[in-house]
């Protein structure tokens, strides 16, 4: 039982380190992560004010990800396709916010964008998210 616990802790630490390395290699991904985390995590707790005030910023950070200098080892079809999906999803979120969509619709779209973001990070680190 103790061995399993330590193995799980070690795996989580390794995964966090791999994710951090990916973001260090790709500054635009790190910039996007900042806005994503500052808008998604409050929304998980029912606070949509951050996404409502920063949806345009999230959309621009997502667009900047595709326009950035993508590190060669991240320039794969899977990563670039996921980045395009994220750009479209964040654009849709901004449209939902500006059209005064329901909180449920915004939360659902933000959750989908968050999943796509983690898909990208997983592809960069070679992990499944």
């Amino acid at each position: 039982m103790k061995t399993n616990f330590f193995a799980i802790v070690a795996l989580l630490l390794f995964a966090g380190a791999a994710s951090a390395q990916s973001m260090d290699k790709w500054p635009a991904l790190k910039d996007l992560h900042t806005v994503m985390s500052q808008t998604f995590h409050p929304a998980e707790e029912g606070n949509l004010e951050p996404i409502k005030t920063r949806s345009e910023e999230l959309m621009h950070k997502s667009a900047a990800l595709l326009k950035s200098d993508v590190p060669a080892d991240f320039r794969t079809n899977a990563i670039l396709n996921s980045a395009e999906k994220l750009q479209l999803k964040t654009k849709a979120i901004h449209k939902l916010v500006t059209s005064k969509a329901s909180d449920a619709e915004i939360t659902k779209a933000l959750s989908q964008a968050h999943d796509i973001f983690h898909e990208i990070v997983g592809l960069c680190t070679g992990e499944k998210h």
Side-chain angles (χ1 to χ4, degrees), residues 21-82:
Q21 285 178 340
S22 296
M23 289 190 220
D24 287 341
K25 288 172 75 174
W26 194 0
L29 185 62
K30 188 174 191 173
D31 291 345
L32 176 60
H33 176 256
T34 299
V35 179
M36 180 65 74
S37 67
Q38 292 172 352
T39 56
F40 175 73
H41 295 299
E44 283 183 301
E45 297 172 9
N47 178 7
L48 271 68
E49 193 58 32
I51 189 57
K52 288 180 178 181
T53 58
R54 297 180 74 186
S55 65
E56 185 173 17
E57 181 183 6
L58 182 64
M59 178 181 69
H60 289 307
K61 294 291 185 187
S62 180
L65 187 67
L66 281 170
K67 293 176 185 171
S68 70
D69 184 20
V70 180
D73 47 336
F74 298 158
R75 215 173 300 128
T76 67
N77 286 338
I79 290 172
L80 295 175
N81 288 339
S82 292

Side-chain angles (χ1 to χ4, degrees), residues 90-107:
T90 57
K91 189 174 184 177
I93 291 167
H94 183 59
K95 186 174 181 179
L96 288 170
V97 169
T98 58
S99 68
K100 307 281 192 232
S102 72
D103 287 357
E105 289 174 293
I106 295 168
T107 300

Side-chain angles (χ1 to χ4, degrees), residues 4-20 127 129:
N4 287 342
F5 173 76
F6 288 117
I8 291 170
V9 169
L11 182 63
L12 290 174
L13 288 173
F14 175 75
S19 176
E127 299 172 20
H129 280 271

